[in-house]
């Protein structure tokens, strides 16, 4: 058996992969059976993928449908290679990042609920520094599409979300694992990372003004208390304001080495109270409308005692669709039960942490084919 690159003629939109595709470091990029849905996926697989050449075996037929989860894992794996290369001045950023941004947008279009669920239930997909950028880009794409921004502007903002922290990539892992408070030098380094990131992207060939502005301004606050420029209100571009909201939400619901994640509803509540003066109020309201009071992926206990997971947005922010996994008496259900929380008996009583829920499940059990690995 030999390990080799993929030939361009072996891939086509609409065809299923006849083999598992791995990155150069051995990480799985796409499983056998993944159906290629765009030219962007082909570009990524050709650039980053290797396969086991087993020509004595005929490729097995595969009919798996496209998966948002699988697409986002491809983005995460690709970003883990591209961001360090940009930081080291080794690649042309736009050529390398555009296919990833396109693939992420396709994942959101294919199944936005699965893409949102990945923020809570796919935290092992990569290092925090990379995965957090992907999570932030998912929420940013969702908000930008809700605003009906021009497609080119949406793409620029998604590219900015994916690359927002390239200016602090070298030390991001150190900050993730630091238990104590930051010292003065560390605080100065963090406050300088938007400018450093913009400089790295320019050096890597990026000329897109919307992209660069969003990276520079994504830590600015509406009241002028942000950094690095201390600008206010409409001086801050819409892309930066969207990324700032997405960044804060995703950071709060992610596990860190030094603290547990906040419950999703608590993360939103804290943002709207503690951070109220620093937020763009209409966009903060949009965030709540798009995510709901109980974001997709949230563990909940219903009034009838069942425990389940929010799987789809409902007609309003307070009544999402839930699939129950544990019955009223505490026994695991053989088959998940769909519950409409508008019904009194199935209304949400409380939100649970992962530890309190104590549930293990495969994403495709709740979200179907678009959540298959």
């Amino acid at each position: 058996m030999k390990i080799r690159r993929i030939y361009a003629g072996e891939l086509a939109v609409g065809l299923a992969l006849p083999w598992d595709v791995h990155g150069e470091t051995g990480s799985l990029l796409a499983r056998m059976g993944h159906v290629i849905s765009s030219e962007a996926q082909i570009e990524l697989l050709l650039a980053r993928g290797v396969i086991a050449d087993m020509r004595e075996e005929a490729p097995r037929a595969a009919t798996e449908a496209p998966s948002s989860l699988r697409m986002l894992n491809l983005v995460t794996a690709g970003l883990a290679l591209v961001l360090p290369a940009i930081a080291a001045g080794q690649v042309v950023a736009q050529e390398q990042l555009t296919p990833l941004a396109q693939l992420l947008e396709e994942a959101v279009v294919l199944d936005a609920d699965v893409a949102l669920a990945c923020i809570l239930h796919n935290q092992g997909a990569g290092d925090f520094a990379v995965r957090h950028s992907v999570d932030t880009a998912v929420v940013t794409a969702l908000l930008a599409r809700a605003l009906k921004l021009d497609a080119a502007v949406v793409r620029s903002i998604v590219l900015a979300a994916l690359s927002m922290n390239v200016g602090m990539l070298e030390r991001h892992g150190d900050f993730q694992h630091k238990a104590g408070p930051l010292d003065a030098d560390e605080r100065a380094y963090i406050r300088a990372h938007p400018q450093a990131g913009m400089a790295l992207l320019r050096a890597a060939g990026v000329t897109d003004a919307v992209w660069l502005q969003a990276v520079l301004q994504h830590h600015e606050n509406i009241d002028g208390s942000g950094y690095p420029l201390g600008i206010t209100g409409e001086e801050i571009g819409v892309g930066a304001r969207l990324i700032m909201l997405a960044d804060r939400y995703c950071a709060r619901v992610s596990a860190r080495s030094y603290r547990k994640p906040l419950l999703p509803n608590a993360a939103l509540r804290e943002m709207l109270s503690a951070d109220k003066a620093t937020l763009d109020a209409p966009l903060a309201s949009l965030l709540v409308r798009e995510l709901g009071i109980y974001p997709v992926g949230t563990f909940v206990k219903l009034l009838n005692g069942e425990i389940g997971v929010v799987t789809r947005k409902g007609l309003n922010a307070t009544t999402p669709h839930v699939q129950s996994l544990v019955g009223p008496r505490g026994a695991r259900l053989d088959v998940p039960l769909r519950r409409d929380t508008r019904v009194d008996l199935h209304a949400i009583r409380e939100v649970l942490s992962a530890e309190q829920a104590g549930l293990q499940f495969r994403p495709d059990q709740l979200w179907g084919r678009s959540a298959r690995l």
Side-chain angles (χ1 to χ4, degrees):
M1 181 181 71
K2 297 180 180 179
I3 302 298
R4 67 167 175 86
R5 290 281 187 184
I6 305 170
Y7 306 125
E10 295 177 297
L11 303 177
V13 175
L15 294 183
L17 294 174
W19 1 250
D20 288 341
V21 181
H22 294 266
E24 293 174 339
T25 60
S27 60
L28 183 66
L29 294 183
R31 287 193 182 278
M32 182 177 66
H34 169 69
V35 178
I36 298 172
S37 63
S38 69
E39 294 293 336
Q41 291 187 45
I42 292 177
E43 290 180 21
L44 177 61
L45 293 171
L46 291 176
R48 303 295 176 191
V50 296
I51 62 172
D53 189 359
M54 303 173 66
R55 299 191 183 184
E56 67 277 8
E57 296 183 11
R60 288 180 287 172
T63 58
E64 286 192 344
S67 161
S68 290
L69 172 57
R70 202 179 299 128
M71 290 178 182
L72 292 175
N73 282 349
L74 276 170
V75 175
T76 301
L79 197 63
L81 297 172
V82 173
L83 286 182
I86 294 172
Q90 296 173 350
V91 299
V92 178
Q94 192 148 349
E95 291 180 2
Q96 298 293 324
L97 282 175
T98 297
L100 299 178
Q102 181 177 337
L103 188 57
L104 184 139
E105 289 180 56
E106 290 172 0
V108 172
V109 170
L110 176 64
D111 198 323
D113 291 316
V114 169
L116 288 174
C118 286
I119 296 171
L120 302 178
H121 295 288
N122 199 32
Q123 295 197 9
D127 291 339
F128 175 77
V130 173
R131 181 181 50 76
H132 175 64
S133 294
V134 174
D135 292 344
T136 299
V138 165
V139 178
T140 300
L142 189 71
L143 297 178
R145 288 174 56 82
L147 287 176
K148 301 187 185 305
L149 299 178
D150 181 81
V153 175
V154 174
R155 176 63 50 80
S156 296
I157 295 172
V158 170
L159 284 163
L162 290 174
S163 56
M164 63 182 181
N165 288 330
V166 68
M168 59 183 284
L169 191 66
E170 182 180 5
R171 299 177 65 182
H172 204 292
D174 296 337
F175 297 139
Q176 161 70 0
H177 297 291
K178 186 178 176 68
L182 300 177
D183 60 34
D185 288 341
E186 290 168 332
R187 289 195 298 272
Y189 177 84
I190 288 177
R191 291 179 70 86
H193 88 266
Q195 290 167 314
M198 184 178 69
L200 285 170
L201 291 168
R202 277 181 170 160
V206 176
T207 58
D208 183 332
V210 174
W211 179 354
L212 294 172
Q213 180 193 57
V215 170
L216 176 64
Q217 297 180 352
H218 74 279
H219 281 296
E220 300 292 350
N221 294 328
I222 292 297
D223 63 356
S225 62
Y227 62 87
L229 305 176
I231 54 180
T232 63
E234 294 299 320
E235 295 178 278
I236 307 168
V238 65
R241 282 178 272 153
L242 293 177
I243 291 172
M244 180 265 285
L245 284 166
D247 182 18
R248 292 188 187 187
Y249 169 74
C250 293
R252 280 172 162 85
V253 298
S254 293
R256 307 289 188 95
S257 60
Y258 53 88
R259 67 157 174 80
K260 292 183 177 181
L262 289 180
L263 297 177
N265 64 322
L268 289 172
R269 185 169 60 246
E270 183 180 280
M271 286 177 63
L272 297 177
S273 56
D275 294 0
K276 183 176 181 180
T278 69
L279 303 179
D280 180 313
L283 292 185
S285 297
L286 177 67
L287 177 72
V288 175
R289 287 199 303 273
E290 290 302 309
L291 297 187
I293 299 298
Y294 308 103
V296 173
T298 301
F299 289 111
V300 292
K301 190 168 190 176
L302 306 183
L303 282 179
N304 68 349
E306 293 175 355
I307 295 175
V309 180
V310 174
T311 52
R312 303 284 178 193
K313 289 171 57 180
L315 292 178
N316 62 60
T318 61
T319 57
H321 293 277
V322 169
Q323 291 207 46
S324 292
L325 297 172
V326 174
R329 297 182 180 180
R332 183 69 184 250
L333 299 172
D334 293 331
V335 178
L337 299 177
R338 298 177 184 273
R339 300 305 193 195
D340 185 343
T341 58
R342 292 176 299 176
V343 178
D344 289 343
L345 186 65
H346 300 145
I348 293 173
R349 183 165 77 188
E350 63 179 311
V351 173
L352 305 177
S353 67
E355 291 78 11
Q356 290 171 321
L359 293 173
Q360 297 291 328
F361 60 89
R362 293 196 328 269
D364 62 322
Q365 290 177 298
L366 300 183
W367 287 280
R369 293 182 298 178
S370 59
R372 282 181 180 168
L373 285 169

